[in-house]
Amino acid sequence: MSRFVYVTYIRTTPAKLWQALTEPDFVKRYWFDSWQECDWQVGSPWRIVREDGSTADSGEVLEVEPGKRLVLTWRNEFKPELTAEGFGRMTYDIEDQGGMVKLTVTHEIDVENSKLIGAVSGGWPHILASLKSLLETGQSLGEQACPQGG
Amino acid sequence: MSDRPEAIHIIHIAAPIQKVWDALTDSDLSPDYFFGNRFEFGARGGAFRVMQPDGQVNSQGKVLVRDEPRVLRVTWDVVIYEDMRAETPGEVEFRLDDLGGVVRLTVSEFNRPPGAERFTDSAREGWSLILSGLKSILETGKPMPPVQPEPPK
């Protein structure tokens, strides 16, 4: 088993954070031009779509509790050595802390020394920092880092 | 001594690298994101301390590396909890990388003794709160709502 856990605290409400995690137009703003495509029903397929329309990752919805918890199966679809590891699991846990919200992202897979977990360990902190910036300042990190609109 | 960190905490902050460095090293700024505690970093070879609002020393150590505005590394001995005294003479390194408009701040913990695994969760919670708060102050000018982290069990 390989596991990555990241915790961040965001000055927002659980409802706003849930919206930010699940609405494609919002996701696109902090996920560096990728977004999630899904109807967020248990058993539904989901995927991360890149700007060119290709699929970056895909899976199925295992648990949905709006404002509280979302669990997905997750397989990388663009790097063959990561795809070969099969499906892992990604969980968002949301906890209201009065004036701010604690978001815990847990990404795990039943593979020792997983390359997938190695890869997402580098990606999640940047994406979640970008999300926090967008919710707190109105600008994501991508929007701040590329003032020329790149 | 291994140079492979046992734990890594990362936050990306939209601020100039010097401002992130200053927020870390200016003792008057740290209480706003460090549960009221003050970071005190001396020059290289000098002392490092974490002072609590009640005047007690929380942690102490020595400054091993001070390479402004990129690397700050200290030995870190938690002295406030009696049962942790023997457990935590580790090292902590703050590394700042300028990614162009965004700074990646990496906090790495080294040389945790074998018995320190039970602190892993509380350390992660603590660093998450500290780094989230630091980011909010630098990006919005306002601290996060005050929270006291759970002491290690």
Side-chain angles (χ1 to χ4, degrees), chain B residues 1-3 5-9 24 34 39 41 48 50 59-66 70-78 88-95 105-112 123 127 130-131:
Chain B
M1 183 187 287
S2 151
D3 212 50
E6 279 89 33
I8 299 177
H9 313 272
L24 261 182
F34 195 14
F39 270 137
F41 298 101
F48 156 70
V50 175
S59 301
Q60 61 190 27
K62 199 170 124 180
V63 178
L64 300 173
V65 181
R66 185 170 180 145
R70 276 187 303 276
V71 185
L72 188 58
R73 183 160 171 156
V74 298
T75 61
W76 188 308
D77 208 345
V78 180
T88 56
E91 287 181 20
V92 174
E93 182 185 88
F94 301 87
R95 204 182 70 229
L105 170 59
T106 307
V107 180
S108 305
E109 295 176 58
F110 298 90
N111 305 320
R112 279 182 176 171
W127 281 116
I130 292 166
L131 298 180

Side-chain angles (χ1 to χ4, degrees), chain A residues 54-111:
Chain A
S54 65
T55 302
D57 306 87
S58 72
E60 188 187 307
V61 180
L62 295 181
E63 285 179 48
V64 182
E65 221 182 313
K68 278 211 154 101
R69 187 172 158 90
L70 178 68
V71 186
L72 309 170
T73 63
W74 183 301
R75 186 175 69 187
N76 178 286
E77 302 291 355
F78 68 95
K79 280 191 180 155
E81 75 267 28
L82 302 186
T83 310
E85 290 188 350
F87 287 96
R89 226 158 65 120
M90 195 291 297
T91 304
Y92 289 137
D93 282 303
I94 297 170
E95 213 179 292
D96 192 359
Q97 301 229 328
M100 68 178 175
V101 176
K102 176 182 176 186
L103 170 64
T104 305
V105 175
T106 307
H107 207 139
E108 56 205 338
I109 191 167
D110 243 340
V111 172

